[in-house]
Amino acid sequence: MHHALQQVTVTKLTSNALMSLCSPETKHSDLFNALFENVADAPWSLLLDTSGSKQSDGRYNIMAYSPALVIEALNGNVTLHNTAEGSTCIIQEAPFEAAEKYLHEKIKGISLNSEVDVSHLPFIVGIAGMAGYDTGRFYEALPSTAQSDYTSPDFSVGLYLYSLVEDTQTGEFYYCACDGSTFPSFTSENKNRNNASPFCLTSSFSSNLTKTQYKQSLDKINRYLTAGDCYQVNMAQRFSAHFEGSLWKAYQELRLQNCAPFSAYFNSSKGSIASISPERFLRVKDGIVETKPIKGTRPRFDDIHEDRRSAEHLMNAEKDRAENLMIVDLLRNDISKHCKPHSVNVPALFALESYQAVHHLVSTVVGELNNTDSPLTLLKSAFPGGSITGAPKIRAMEVIDELEPHRRHIYCGSIFYMGFREDMDSSICIRTLLGEDKTLYCWAGGGIVLDSVADDEYQETLDKVSKIIPVLEHFGKA
C-alpha cells in the first residue's frame, strides 16, 4: 500500500448469480441487504442505502468493506490504521486533510477497466465513512462544556478498494475492485458473521433533558436571539436506552419504516451507526455542487385530509420559510467560497418533501466547484452543515455546546463518500442512531428563531423520532 494503485476493474453481475449466495427465502428486493449482512459486523463495513426511495435522485445502493487504510479521530488525536499490517500510528494532520493525503492520494490517476459503461455509477472505489459533528472542533475553537461520554471515534473514514453497487433503476449490480478479483463468495468467507444475535431493548428510552429543561434552554436561546448573537440556533435533545444484540437487525426494520434516501449503516471500530436520514449535505458530480437543506417540519397523519392540511400549513408558514431562507443564505455563503464566481444559485426554494413520519420544507442550492478545489476541501469548509447549527454558524455552535448536556457525536455529522473520480455525496445525519457499549443513542432537534413557540418546538422533536423510538420499543415483540 505504499505505491499508488494502477487500475480498477468493474464487472456487471446478474441478480441470479447473487441470489445463489443468499438463503432460499431471500426476496429479490432484499438481495442487496442480504449480501451486506454477511459483512455487516466486520470492522468498517459501510452500506449506503436508498431504502427504496426515489427522493433526492435516489437510485444507487453502495456497499464497501475491508478498507485498506483507515483514518480515525477521537479526543483530538488522529490515527492512521493499516488494516493489512495491523499497524496504527498517530499523525499530525487534521481529519479531512489526513483523508485526502493518506487515503485519496493512493487512488489519484487510477485507470478504469470495464467492458460495460459505468460513467453513470457513483463511487466505484475511493474513500468513505463518517465525520461526526464534533469533527468541527479540529477546525474551530469551540467551548468544551457539553459532556463527551462516547468511546467510538468522532471521525472514521476508510480507503475502500472493493465495492458492490446496485442500480435500482435497471436492477443491475456492479462489482468494483482494485486487485482484478471477481466477486467473492461472502457466504464462504464470512460464515460466522451471519449469526448476529437478535436486537432488543433492555430499557426504555429516556432523554437527557426534561420538557421543562428543554423549554428553559429555549428561553436562553431567545435571549441570545433578542440580543442579536444569532438569527437561529438548532437545539436538540438526546434519547438513550440499553440494548442487546445486533443494531443491524434493528436497522433493517427502521429502513423499511422510513424509506429515507440517505439511509446508511456503518460499523466503526468501536460502535455501530444506523442512519435513516432524508437530508443531503453536499454532492459534487461533474464539478457541480449541490446542497439540499431541510428546515421546516410537520407531522404526517393517516387521515388523508388531515395529512394534506398539515402539508399546506407547512408550505404557508412564514416562520418556517424564514428559517429555511436563513439557512439557504448561510449555505450559499459556505459553498461560494469554493465555487466559481457568480455560479451559485437556488433552483428550488421551499419545496415540499414528504417522508413516512414528517413533511419537510427543502431548498436546493447549486454552484460550480473551483477547478483548484477538492470536494473534500468543500466538505471540510462547510462542516458541520448550516441546517443543523443555526446562523451565524460558529456563534450558534457555541450556544449549542452551552445548552445541550452532551456532545452530538454522529448526530448532525455526515456519512459520505468520495470516489476516485472526485465524485462526492454526503448526508446530514439526522434520524440517526449510535450503538456502543450496549447503549443506544438517538437525537432530535429543531431550528429556534425569535417567533418559535416552545411547546411546538418540543413536540416537533418527538415527531421526528416517531418512526424510530416506537419501532425499536416494539421490536421483536409479537
Side-chain angles (χ1 to χ4, degrees), residues 377-404:
T377 305
L378 171 73
L379 186 66
K380 172 195 76 175
S381 112
F383 199 86
S387 67
I388 43 68
T389 57
K393 187 188 286 188
I394 303 306
R395 182 64 187 120
M397 290 174 74
E398 290 170 354
V399 176
I400 288 166
D401 195 77
E402 176 194 335
L403 298 180
E404 291 183 13

Side-chain angles (χ1 to χ4, degrees), residues 99 142 251 296 327 347 463 472:
L142 295 169
Y251 168 77
I327 299 308
D463 293 339
L472 295 174

Side-chain angles (χ1 to χ4, degrees), residues 329-338 378 381-382 384 386 393:
D329 281 341
L330 189 158
L331 282 163
R332 282 171 61 192
N333 182 58
D334 273 356
I335 72 169
S336 66
K337 294 170 189 169
H338 298 282
L378 171 73
S381 112
K393 187 188 286 188

Side-chain angles (χ1 to χ4, degrees), residues 96-383:
F96 284 112
E97 288 84 349
E100 185 96 55
K101 177 178 175 180
Y102 296 100
L103 309 185
H104 185 63
E105 278 292 327
K106 294 271 190 277
I107 48 171
K108 269 198 167 162
I110 194 170
S111 64
L112 182 62
N113 177 11
S114 175
E115 292 177 8
V116 292
D117 178 24
V118 293
S119 57
H120 61 297
L121 290 187
F123 186 66
I124 298 186
V125 295
I127 68 174
M130 62 76 77
Y133 175 88
D134 293 294
T135 304
R137 294 176 181 279
F138 283 89
Y139 300 99
E140 301 293 345
L142 295 169
S144 298
T145 312
Q147 185 185 346
S148 178
D149 54 355
Y150 310 103
T151 56
S152 52
D154 287 321
F155 185 96
S156 186
V157 171
L159 171 62
Y160 293 90
L161 305 179
Y162 310 97
S163 76
L164 183 67
V165 181
E166 177 187 15
D167 183 344
T168 63
Q169 194 170 297
T170 63
E172 291 167 331
F173 295 78
Y174 299 84
Y175 175 64
C176 315
C178 283
D179 61 359
S181 63
T182 53
F183 185 66
S185 171
F186 281 138
T187 39
S188 58
E189 290 178 18
N190 298 286
K191 335 189 215 313
N192 304 323
R193 298 235 199 271
N194 213 349
N195 301 325
S197 49
F199 172 89
C200 70
L201 292 182
T202 55
S203 75
S204 298
F205 274 96
S206 59
S207 174
N208 63 350
L209 290 166
T210 63
K211 184 175 182 180
T212 301
Q213 289 169 328
Y214 194 84
K215 289 169 72 172
Q216 286 169 347
S217 293
L218 265 53
D219 285 341
K220 287 182 184 169
I221 290 173
N222 198 270
R223 290 200 286 276
Y224 285 128
L225 297 171
T226 307
D229 278 46
C230 303
Y231 315 113
Q232 181 180 154
V233 176
N234 190 283
M235 175 71 199
Q237 57 177 321
R238 185 185 81 175
F239 305 93
S240 57
H242 296 297
F243 78 104
E244 286 181 348
S246 168
L247 185 57
W248 165 247
K249 301 286 187 190
Y251 168 77
Q252 290 176 85
E253 183 63 27
L254 289 169
R255 69 180 289 275
L256 289 174
Q257 297 270 357
N258 289 271
C259 302
F262 293 96
S263 297
Y265 187 84
F266 182 55
N267 201 42
S268 79
S269 53
K270 293 196 172 65
S272 301
I273 292 162
S275 183
I276 46 168
S277 175
E279 184 167 2
R280 166 170 284 138
F281 182 22
L282 289 162
R283 174 170 72 175
V284 179
K285 188 178 180 187
D286 301 323
I288 302 298
V289 177
E290 178 189 84
T291 181
K292 291 189 66 172
I294 291 177
K295 265 287 155 266
T297 305
R298 291 294 183 280
R300 299 296 308 266
F301 295 96
D302 292 333
D303 179 277
I304 190 166
H305 302 294
E306 197 176 358
D307 192 54
R308 190 179 299 133
R309 274 196 300 275
S310 185
E312 287 171 357
H313 187 257
L314 174 60
M315 290 295 288
N316 296 312
E318 287 300 319
K319 169 193 167 287
D320 294 278
R321 291 163 81 90
E323 250 187 80
N324 194 295
L325 191 59
M326 285 179 204
I327 299 308
V328 165
D329 281 341
L330 189 158
L331 282 163
R332 282 171 61 192
N333 182 58
D334 273 356
I335 72 169
S336 66
K337 294 170 189 169
H338 298 282
C339 284
K340 292 174 183 173
H342 315 298
S343 71
V344 175
N345 59 71
V346 184
L349 193 62
F350 312 143
L352 180 74
E353 289 189 6
S354 299
Y355 295 90
Q356 260 60 12
V358 289
H359 299 289
H360 278 314
L361 213 54
V362 185
S363 293
T364 303
V365 185
V366 298
E368 289 180 52
L369 190 66
N370 286 333
N371 297 336
T372 51
D373 280 324
S374 153
L376 270 193
T377 305
L378 171 73
L379 186 66
K380 172 195 76 175
S381 112
F383 199 86

Side-chain angles (χ1 to χ4, degrees), residues 373-442:
D373 280 324
S374 153
L376 270 193
T377 305
L378 171 73
L379 186 66
K380 172 195 76 175
S381 112
F383 199 86
S387 67
I388 43 68
T389 57
K393 187 188 286 188
I394 303 306
R395 182 64 187 120
M397 290 174 74
E398 290 170 354
V399 176
I400 288 166
D401 195 77
E402 176 194 335
L403 298 180
E404 291 183 13
H406 300 90
R407 288 193 184 177
R408 291 181 165 186
H409 199 273
I410 185 57
Y411 175 61
C412 296
S414 182
I415 289 176
F416 70 95
Y417 71 74
M418 185 169 79
F420 78 99
R421 296 169 296 179
E422 306 273 315
D423 57 326
M424 182 180 81
D425 208 351
S426 57
S427 68
I428 297 268
C429 289
I430 52 176
R431 322 290 137 76
T432 298
L433 298 144
L434 169 68
E436 56 170 43
D437 301 330
K438 298 197 172 179
T439 303
L440 198 57
Y441 301 102
C442 174

Side-chain angles (χ1 to χ4, degrees), residues 64-85:
Y65 53 94
S66 302
L69 300 166
V70 180
I71 297 286
E72 290 195 323
L74 179 65
N75 298 329
N77 291 319
V78 181
T79 52
L80 172 63
H81 305 268
N82 184 318
T83 59
E85 295 174 3

